Amino acid sequence: MSRLIIRKVAVLGAGVMGAQIAAHCANADLPVILFDLPAGEGDANGVVTKALAAMKKLDPAPFAAKDRGRFVEAANYASDLARLGECDLVIEAIAEKMEWKLDLYAKVAPHLKPGVVFASNTSGLSIHALAAGMPESLRSRFCGIHFFNPPRYMPLVELIPAAETDPAMLDALEAWLTTRLGKSIVRARDTPNFVANRVGVFSILAVLHHTARLGLAFDEVDLLTGPRIGRPKSATFRTADVVGLDTLAHVVGTMQATLPNDPWHAYFESPEWLRALIAKGALGQKTRGGIYRKQGKQIQVLDLGMQDYRDSGGEVFPDVDAILKLKNPAEKFAQLAAHPHPQAQFLWSIFRDVFHYCAVHLGDIADNARDVDLAMRWGFGWAQGPFETWQAAGWSEVAKMIDDDIRHGRAMSSVPLPPWVFERDGVHAPEGSWSAAQNVLKPRARLPVYQRQLYPDRVFGEAPDDRGETLWENAGVRLWRRADQDARIGIVSITSRMHTIGEEVMDGMLEAIARAEADLDGLVIWHPAPFAVGANLQQVGEACRAGQFELLEKMVAKFQQTSMAIKHAQVPVVAAVQGMALGGGCEFAMHAAHRVLALESYVGLVEAGVGLIPAGGGSKEFALQAHTMARRTAGGDVFPFIQTAFQTIAMATVAKSAIEAAELGFARASDDVVFNAAELLHAAIRRARALAESAWRPALIDSAVKVAGRDGIATCELMLVNMAEGGFISAHDYRVAKAAATALCGGEVNSNSRVGEQWILDVERAQFVELLKTEKTQQRIAHMLETGKPLRN
């Protein structure tokens, strides 16, 4: 398979999806030209510039760093079409109108360069019909490429070939999307709404139907269809508001218009209340009101019985809540189906009808059951897809229950389950997943790009992952290796809950490093996200309550010892970071020889939130960075660099991407950023091997670090005085921030003094322990443990 070379991208359409697709390409270091219609007045590119400005205000942010917007150029169809000749990939993302898309294709086709890949981001229109609108010479390079919203964060991209699409080009595009943009690919058939929206929208329609049938309230249903059943917190009706009620109605309308022979066609209709909301412009979150609205601080929900909004509330019936907490899926489904309460009947009904729908349509919409399940996980955020949920609950028994409901008219459709359902005991097996179209178990795709994914997302019933060979472990960490990858690169994984760092983790990390120095060529710190959420606050809180401050000081000293062991190990230690790396987790990463970070890494020193400062070497590392930067500037003043670090630590700033982590000093510009988190371990092992085989040497301990000293502390205090007088910080905030300044500036020494790293470690440790002794810091720790939220006191 030849590699796809894409140096520049064009996106046609600066609407919500087009603009954010362009932003994510810019995140991946790709220059982008973003096109739209010329503005009616003023700047001809005004439509695009307005869209780019709007993205800077969005949360979550489409851009992984504030400066990424400069890689997106604004253009318009009237004067800039010739610039399409610069682009290797063109993604069309205009409104879902077939005639509009075909008209645009006719305009842009003469300007496309030979060998360009042209793709439509349609969410459900026929790819074959769209391909017919392309010149014959371009059809082999045309396909559907359906991103999910928001494109930066949602992993799913559905790839849909047309009849003449070149299979080799599609394979190369799949590999490029997987690694360069970090996407999870499902190959979809050219059927209306493809895979995820076909199943996901049907699931929503089933919820709408059974909500009305059983007389349940919208907020009550959202309590039932969120995390309790492995779905996102936004559940059903909040999700509809986020997506846009007009968008939901449009997708439902597409199913109604294009699937006339579907056995469930009678349900492909927006309810009257939804049409009424759309008619009056209440489209959901984008219009600040839809099914839900905010009145002051109160969230209100539409009540159909009252024909008005009321305060949102609702509750789950205790029996139903107890059933949902059952660990055994088979027992859970049996009890839901048997319980007479409307909430139980609702839950069984929505699961039953989705199972039924997926079984009937599997052969039409997807190559195999795994694609359906992963599409729902990646595109809709379900913890399990429909087929694996069914299989986990007992395939044959659930099939009998569904069949019984169909026969007695309780299901939404009377169409029988296909015969293959009763001939099998599930759709997922170690050798593959069931293809209803071909009547075989289909293995995973074997494209070379997937060899980089050592631990891909697995579905229930699939072959388990290779756990590797354990070399040593204790209660806190496991040292192991994957001999099939590199037998002399060790992997150390933190095994505590949320990967918190306590005594057992520090002991384990020190032992793992010692063993790696003796027997291995390198070491990778890796485990599934989060990387680490910091020190074990439970241990710290218990020691505070017992007044064991000498013990706590020894614990902090060991933390510092562990960080220094990571930094000065005689083999390269690579931190493979994904998700949250906070507090001590951030400090471990900062001390590694190199970092390989997933793009979605949220890194920061957040100790100020519990009334503390970084004391695992984080303050010392920022002081070292300031020293290094000052040596490269005229005058050699360290304070300008300390000031930035001080603000970052005092405000407990967390980087919202790996790119921001480097900008804030938690990582380095030379570190690797991996867009597909499933490739993280592969990349980290390769990086450790490259370091071991190159001229890498362990860092020396610096004994002459130039620090800002008393003058630096005093200057930081001036900022704090102004903030305190303005009421922005409390007296204890002031005290915590001054402690941070003291550690960063090397303590009460003359400005521009030179001290050793250990001196700075001693200062930060002393400041940390003094804060631990204060009542207000102890209150903050207790509050965080009880509520998971910071306390302002």
Side-chain angles (χ1 to χ4, degrees):
M1 182 184 71
S2 60
R3 178 180 296 168
L4 195 62
I5 304 298
I6 295 176
R7 294 185 174 89
K8 183 176 281 191
V9 176
V11 178
L12 309 181
V16 171
M17 286 300 293
Q20 294 200 46
I21 291 169
H24 193 54
C25 289
N27 291 336
D29 299 317
L30 287 159
V32 185
I33 307 175
L34 179 59
F35 285 81
D36 211 299
L37 295 166
E41 55 185 31
D43 178 12
N45 295 330
V47 174
V48 176
T49 54
K50 184 177 179 181
L52 292 172
M55 280 200 294
K56 294 176 182 177
K57 301 175 184 177
L58 291 179
D59 186 19
F63 289 113
K66 292 177 182 177
D67 72 336
R68 291 282 131 169
R70 64 193 174 93
F71 296 115
V72 182
E73 293 183 75
N76 68 84
Y77 303 130
S79 59
D80 300 317
L81 287 180
R83 297 204 60 197
L84 288 170
E86 304 170 21
C87 301
D88 306 294
L89 171 64
V90 178
I91 301 172
E92 170 269 304
I94 69 170
E96 291 289 275
K97 298 279 188 181
M98 178 70 73
E99 62 273 22
W100 293 3
K101 291 178 186 286
L102 294 178
D103 180 62
L104 181 62
Y105 294 0
K107 289 177 181 175
V108 304
H111 302 280
L112 300 174
K113 68 189 295 186
V116 69
V117 175
F118 193 101
S120 174
N121 183 55
T122 177
S123 60
L125 295 180
S126 168
I127 299 301
H128 289 80
L130 291 171
M134 299 294 295
E136 194 169 337
S137 61
L138 291 173
R139 290 177 190 170
S140 68
R141 311 283 289 179
F142 178 81
C143 65
I145 181 173
H146 180 212
F147 288 82
F148 277 67
N149 191 26
R152 171 184 163 187
Y153 300 95
M154 295 301 290
L156 179 62
V157 167
E158 292 175 318
L159 270 186
I160 314 99
E164 297 176 56
T165 303
D166 177 9
M169 183 280 291
L170 205 66
D171 287 349
L173 182 59
E174 178 169 348
W176 184 85
L177 287 165
T178 298
T179 292
R180 188 64 180 269
L181 295 190
K183 294 301 156 193
S184 301
I185 308 301
V186 165
R187 295 277 186 104
R189 299 181 186 278
D190 188 18
T191 56
N193 288 351
F194 311 129
V195 180
N197 276 349
R198 181 76 173 270
V199 175
V201 173
F202 175 79
S203 175
I204 292 170
L205 289 169
V207 168
L208 293 177
H209 171 70
H210 293 298
T211 298
R213 179 177 70 84
L214 293 163
L216 301 181
F218 296 146
D219 51 348
E220 181 182 10
V221 167
D222 276 352
L223 286 173
L224 294 168
T225 58
R228 282 181 170 86
I229 61 168
R231 308 280 169 84
K233 288 181 180 179
S234 54
T236 302
F237 293 106
R238 283 188 178 86
T239 296
D241 270 353
V242 171
V243 169
L245 302 186
D246 54 338
T247 303
L248 173 62
H250 173 78
V251 178
V252 172
T254 300
M255 292 178 72
Q256 185 181 48
T258 57
L259 295 167
N261 299 319
D262 192 295
W264 284 265
H265 184 266
Y267 301 98
F268 298 168
E269 185 176 4
S270 298
E272 183 179 345
W273 61 262
L274 180 58
R275 296 197 299 271
L277 286 174
I278 294 169
K280 69 178 187 178
L283 306 181
Q285 193 173 79
K286 59 189 171 186
T287 59
R288 301 190 178 184
I291 299 168
Y292 291 89
R293 72 179 186 186
K294 194 170 184 180
Q295 292 289 96
K297 294 185 177 181
Q298 181 63 47
I299 302 296
Q300 294 189 322
V301 64
L302 181 64
D303 188 305
L304 296 182
M306 296 170 57
Q307 292 291 296
D308 200 357
Y309 289 88
R310 60 166 173 79
D311 289 349
S312 178
E315 60 182 24
V316 176
F317 186 67
D319 284 5
V320 175
D321 203 31
I323 293 171
L324 291 175
K325 290 176 180 176
L326 293 172
K327 300 295 184 186
N328 185 323
E331 188 180 354
K332 183 185 300 184
F333 275 91
Q335 290 197 27
L336 285 175
H339 201 289
H341 194 277
Q343 291 183 358
Q345 287 303 299
F346 167 82
L347 288 168
W348 161 245
S349 297
I350 63 170
F351 276 107
R352 174 202 62 211
D353 291 325
V354 170
F355 295 163
H356 186 190
Y357 191 82
C358 290
V360 169
H361 287 300
L362 175 58
D364 303 326
I365 67 173
D367 179 65
N368 60 75
R370 179 179 53 251
D371 285 352
V372 173
D373 283 340
L374 292 178
M376 297 314 297
R377 284 212 228 157
W378 296 335
F380 278 75
W382 292 12
Q384 281 191 316
F387 285 118
E388 56 183 336
T389 303
W390 179 353
Q391 186 165 331
W395 182 268
S396 298
E397 190 57 38
V398 171
K400 291 175 187 174
M401 292 162 64
I402 297 169
D403 184 59
D404 187 63
D405 278 7
I406 295 169
R407 292 176 185 277
H408 289 87
R410 293 188 289 267
M412 287 172 68
S413 171
S414 60
V415 65
L417 287 167
W420 63 261
V421 169
F422 302 100
E423 295 165 1
R424 305 194 52 77
D425 193 29
V427 290
H428 302 304
E431 53 274 36
S433 293
W434 181 250
S435 170
Q438 298 178 43
N439 293 314
V440 294
L441 289 170
K442 298 290 287 289
R444 282 178 171 260
R446 292 192 171 93
L447 295 179
V449 69
Y450 293 119
Q451 295 175 14
R452 298 169 58 86
Q453 298 187 8
L454 305 186
Y455 294 99
D457 286 342
R458 299 285 185 193
V459 292
F460 182 89
E462 194 175 3
D465 287 318
D466 180 353
R467 281 186 45 80
E469 176 192 358
T470 299
L471 302 177
W472 177 85
E473 63 184 327
N474 72 349
V477 305
R478 174 183 177 232
L479 175 64
W480 56 290
R481 65 183 171 192
R482 283 281 300 257
D484 61 330
Q485 298 299 310
D486 192 323
R488 292 194 57 80
I489 300 296
I491 305 164
V492 59
S493 298
I494 299 174
T495 56
S496 58
R497 185 174 180 273
M498 293 293 286
H499 308 133
T500 54
I501 302 168
E503 288 270 9
E504 68 287 354
V505 171
M506 291 182 276
D507 288 338
M509 193 67 69
L510 289 168
E511 179 66 21
I513 291 167
R515 288 172 178 262
E517 288 176 328
D519 302 321
L520 300 169
D521 296 336
L523 190 63
V524 171
I525 305 173
W526 176 87
H527 34 259
F531 180 74
V533 296
N536 188 326
L537 272 186
Q538 193 72 45
Q539 289 181 0
V540 173
E542 289 171 1
C544 282
R545 286 192 294 274
Q548 297 173 321
F549 296 107
E550 287 186 14
L551 176 65
L552 284 166
E553 182 161 6
K554 290 179 181 177
M555 187 186 298
V556 179
K558 182 179 281 188
F559 207 125
Q560 294 176 338
Q561 177 192 358
T562 308
S563 294
M564 293 292 275
I566 291 170
K567 183 171 184 176
H568 300 290
Q570 296 303 299
V571 294
V573 178
V574 174
V577 180
Q578 178 192 359
M580 292 183 291
L582 305 177
C586 175
E587 289 173 304
F588 274 10
M590 289 176 75
H591 282 81
H594 195 88
R595 282 144 297 280
V596 179
L597 303 104
L599 177 68
E600 301 310 328
S601 295
Y602 311 110
V603 187
L605 296 171
V606 296
E607 287 85 352
V610 288
L612 294 168
I613 66 166
S619 302
K620 180 263 303 177
E621 282 299 297
F622 271 119
L624 278 174
Q625 287 181 29
H627 167 70
T628 302
M629 295 297 291
R631 287 168 54 192
R632 300 172 184 168
T633 60
D637 186 7
V638 297
F639 185 74
F641 307 103
I642 287 294
Q643 185 175 12
T644 302
F646 171 67
Q647 291 170 338
T648 299
I649 291 174
M651 300 299 291
T653 302
V654 175
K656 294 183 179 178
S657 73
I659 298 170
E660 278 195 2
E663 291 176 351
L664 290 170
F666 301 128
R668 297 174 194 157
S670 58
D671 289 332
D672 305 311
V673 177
V674 173
F675 272 55
N676 195 317
E679 298 181 354
L680 187 66
L681 180 57
H682 166 89
I685 291 172
R686 294 296 181 272
R687 176 57 68 184
R689 169 52 59 196
L691 289 172
E693 297 295 331
S694 68
W696 175 87
R697 295 178 295 277
L700 291 170
I701 298 176
D702 200 328
S703 60
V705 182
K706 189 177 182 181
V707 294
R710 294 187 187 92
D711 289 351
I713 298 169
T715 307
C716 289
E717 273 204 273
L718 284 176
M719 290 186 279
L720 296 176
V721 168
N722 292 333
M723 294 178 72
E725 288 179 351
F728 297 108
I729 61 173
S730 69
H732 196 60
D733 290 330
Y734 186 110
R735 180 168 182 175
V736 173
K738 184 181 177 183
T742 303
L744 286 167
C745 295
E748 296 285 350
V749 296
N750 292 331
S751 296
N752 298 320
S753 293
R754 293 185 180 273
V755 301
E757 286 187 52
Q758 188 59 50
W759 173 276
I760 306 173
L761 288 171
D762 292 344
V763 172
E764 69 175 33
R765 185 174 69 252
Q767 293 294 322
F768 183 93
V769 174
E770 285 305 308
L771 286 170
L772 276 178
K773 293 176 181 178
T774 66
E775 181 182 1
K776 290 190 180 295
T777 286
Q778 292 174 22
Q779 289 171 350
R780 291 188 182 190
I781 292 171
H783 190 268
M784 179 63 75
L785 289 169
E786 290 169 11
T787 68
K789 297 177 181 179
L791 172 69
R792 290 295 305 277
N793 59 353

